[in-house]
């Protein structure tokens, strides 16, 4: 479900940015659409910074945990103690590794989606009205996907933590991807 929500957010954000952009080729945006585009840009920059901070924190957390467990392993006197410490270390590090893998995956997915959406929304083989209809359709589809209900499971604390981890990583990755693409587009257009 987190992946479905991520795809919905990418569709929605991309459509809002297109509709609120003077570069879209569909005329001047309304004040409301322009404001939504500006808000989306601010959220995108915030997410990019959050993703960088989270990545640094994850790396530092892994180093700290490894050092802590290596110290404990050195102090352990029996094989039983060493085995127990090793199992604890593997369990603790797996969550951090999972977050890193999930973030990498979501960055790849959002990059791909963003590229495809840009091709669809800036397709010059169709008229401006068709591109505008596509943007509104993508926005609506994004809203539908974001509204997908969570499955009703008897979640324990570990499942809730993993769910939160997935959602945070997905959101941060999506915003970072959109920000990178915007910067590349501005550079290509000579806005820098």
């Amino acid at each position: 479900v987190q992946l479905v929500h991520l795809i919905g957010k990418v569709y929605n954000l991309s459509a809002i940015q297109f509709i609120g952009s003077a570069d879209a080729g569909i005329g001047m945006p309304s004040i409301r659409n322009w404001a939504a585009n500006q808000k989306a840009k601010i959220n995108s920059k915030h997410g990019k910074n959050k993703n960088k901070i989270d990545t640094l924190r994850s790396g530092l957390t892994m180093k700290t945990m490894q050092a802590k467990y290596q110290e404990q392993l050195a102090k352990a006197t029996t094989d039983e103690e060493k085995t127990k410490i090793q199992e604890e270390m593997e369990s603790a590090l797996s969550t951090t590794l999972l977050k890193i893998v999930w973030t990498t995956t979501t960055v790849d997915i959002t990059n791909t989606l963003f590229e495809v959406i840009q091709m669809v929304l800036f397709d010059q083989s169709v008229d401006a009205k068709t591109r505008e209809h596509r943007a509104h359709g993508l926005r609506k589809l994004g809203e539908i996907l974001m509204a997908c209900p969570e499955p009703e499971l008897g979640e324990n604390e570990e499942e809730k933590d993993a769910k939160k981890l997935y959602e945070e990583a997905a959101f941060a990755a999506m915003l970072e991807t959109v920000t990178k693409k915007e910067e590349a587009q501005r550079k290509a257009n000579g806005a820098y």
Side-chain angles (χ1 to χ4, degrees), residues 104-123:
T104 303
T105 301
T106 55
V107 166
D108 185 43
I109 289 168
T110 55
N111 268 330
T112 303
L113 283 174
F114 189 80
E115 291 294 327
V116 171
I117 290 167
Q118 294 307 301
M119 286 188 244
V120 168
L121 295 179
F122 288 94
D123 179 8

Side-chain angles (χ1 to χ4, degrees), residues 4 16 53 64 96 98 119 139 157 162 171 175 188 191:
V4 170
I16 288 170
I53 290 169
T64 303
T96 304
L98 182 62
M119 286 188 244
R139 185 175 184 181
E157 288 303 312
F171 186 69
L175 291 178

Side-chain angles (χ1 to χ4, degrees), residues 80-110:
E80 187 178 290
E81 286 178 339
K82 289 179 182 181
T83 303
K84 183 180 175 190
I85 292 169
Q86 188 70 30
E87 288 171 0
E88 286 176 15
M89 181 174 76
E90 289 172 4
S91 176
L93 292 177
S94 66
T95 301
T96 304
L97 287 173
L98 182 62
K99 184 174 183 178
I100 292 169
V101 169
W102 178 252
T103 301
T104 303
T105 301
T106 55
V107 166
D108 185 43
I109 289 168
T110 55

Side-chain angles (χ1 to χ4, degrees), residues 6 10 34 49 53 55 59 63 84 99 104 134 144 149 169 172 188:
L6 170 67
V10 171
W34 177 84
N49 290 337
I53 290 169
T55 301
K63 282 289 191 191
K84 183 180 175 190
K99 184 174 183 178
T104 303
R134 288 176 178 180
I144 291 168

Side-chain angles (χ1 to χ4, degrees), residues 60-70 89 92-93 96:
L60 289 173
T61 300
M62 283 191 75
K63 282 289 191 191
T64 303
M65 284 192 302
Q66 284 177 330
K68 173 185 151 188
Y69 285 112
Q70 290 299 331
M89 181 174 76
L93 292 177
T96 304

